[in-house]
Amino acid sequence: MRHVLSDPQKRQVYDQDGEEGLKDIPPPGSGGFSYGGGSKGFNPRNAEDIFAEFFGSSPFGFGSSGPGKSMRFSSDGGGTFGGFGGGGENIFRSYSEGVTPKKPQAVESKLPCSLEELYSGSTRKMKISRSVIDANGRQVMEQEILTIDVKPGWKKGTKITFPDKGNEQLGHLPADLVFVIDEKAHNTYKRDGNDLVVNKKVTLAEALGGTTVNLTTLDGRDLSIPVTDIVNPGYELVVAREGMPIAKEPGNRGDLKIIFEISFPTRLTPDQRAGLKRTLAG
């Protein structure tokens, strides 16, 4: 005990921790002082493990395999000590490495077109306003004019996509802007796929005695179509290649279908009735 009391360092440990504390003092020449052991000793922990315990992973790119188990030298391959590779490699890999910005769902907008535009084709200028991220990382409004070439024969539901022309948000890729063709109603024609349909009302006399259907086409031509057959209720007359252009078959067109509706007289004179009977009976 004398050698303890005469040594200032050991005396300080003895006064603080008693004889138990003296057990942790390394023998002379061991080159260090141990902090382990004893109920009052300090147990050092790796900084990566502490970070991983709070945040789930190491900020230095080494990772963790669970509480108290550090993977200090996990490597992409080739280094002498795993993560501490040579060749100028930066051992402190970015914490956000491998995170790809997400692309938002495309923004769709209807583009109403008349049958005339879808028949002959047209060029549409669309002015858009969208939010973008400027050089300082702020959201600002930007205006732009987009050109859409509507092709002959395009149908309702056809989509025209402008990549990255939607709104921008921090941390996301710009959204795509999509225009979807919509057909406006027409006073004369109704579209049925590649065909055009016209409903024509005729009198009983025209249905029995013949008539002529006069139409103006979607490209401005005048059509005069003779009807020589007897028209029954629901009768359909087909005029070949006078329908809509077929987008996938340049130069080819659908048909024009004329569906007849017969307007019967609400009253007849006795003489008219007799004349009809004589005519139809024969």
Side-chain angles (χ1 to χ4, degrees), residues 56-71:
S57 60
S58 168
F60 306 111
F62 304 122
S64 175
S65 59
K69 298 180 181 179
S70 174
M71 299 169 59

Side-chain angles (χ1 to χ4, degrees), residues 84-276:
F84 296 97
E89 177 181 322
N90 183 0
I91 64 173
F92 298 105
R93 298 195 294 268
S94 169
Y95 186 62
S96 62
E97 181 180 2
V99 178
T100 303
K102 294 183 178 179
K103 193 175 185 69
Q105 186 175 0
V107 179
E108 292 192 357
S109 179
K110 287 186 178 181
L111 181 63
C113 296
S114 65
L115 275 182
E116 284 84 357
E117 289 177 302
L118 297 175
Y119 185 93
S120 301
S122 66
T123 299
R124 301 285 294 272
K125 301 287 186 179
M126 306 298 296
K127 185 176 182 180
I128 64 169
S129 296
R130 64 190 186 110
S131 62
V132 298
I133 307 300
D134 66 9
N136 297 320
R138 297 175 301 183
Q139 278 192 319
V140 297
M141 295 304 296
E142 178 182 79
Q143 290 187 338
E144 186 175 354
I145 295 178
L146 302 178
T147 300
I148 301 175
D149 290 324
V150 178
K151 304 298 183 183
W154 275 4
K155 298 178 180 179
K156 179 178 181 178
T158 300
K159 295 185 176 182
I160 308 99
T161 301
F162 290 88
D164 302 335
K165 291 299 183 181
N167 293 326
E168 294 184 19
Q169 298 180 11
L170 286 173
H172 292 76
L173 296 171
D176 293 342
L177 179 60
V178 179
F179 288 96
V180 184
I181 295 294
D182 193 22
E183 293 179 2
K184 295 180 182 179
H186 196 274
N187 291 332
T188 303
Y189 298 97
K190 183 178 179 180
R191 186 173 187 175
D192 181 18
N194 295 318
D195 298 330
L196 289 173
V197 179
V198 173
N199 292 311
K200 180 65 175 177
K201 183 178 291 188
V202 294
T203 65
L204 179 59
E206 291 174 325
L208 297 175
T211 186
T212 299
V213 177
N214 296 307
L215 294 171
T216 300
T217 63
L218 293 173
D219 57 350
R221 293 176 293 113
D222 291 326
L223 283 183
S224 184
I225 306 163
V227 181
T228 56
D229 294 338
I230 294 177
V231 176
N232 301 310
Y235 176 80
E236 182 178 294
L237 176 63
V238 177
V239 183
R241 295 176 57 84
E242 284 293 349
M244 294 293 294
I246 301 176
K248 296 182 179 180
E249 301 177 22
N252 198 9
R253 298 181 187 274
D255 297 332
L256 170 63
K257 298 178 180 180
I258 305 174
I259 299 176
F260 290 88
E261 178 184 350
I262 302 173
S263 177
F264 286 85
T266 57
R267 65 179 64 181
L268 291 173
T269 66
D271 291 340
Q272 289 174 326
R273 289 176 184 271
L276 282 173

Side-chain angles (χ1 to χ4, degrees), residues 63-81:
S64 175
S65 59
K69 298 180 181 179
S70 174
M71 299 169 59
R72 295 180 180 82
F73 300 110
S74 174
S75 172
D76 292 334
T80 305
F81 294 105

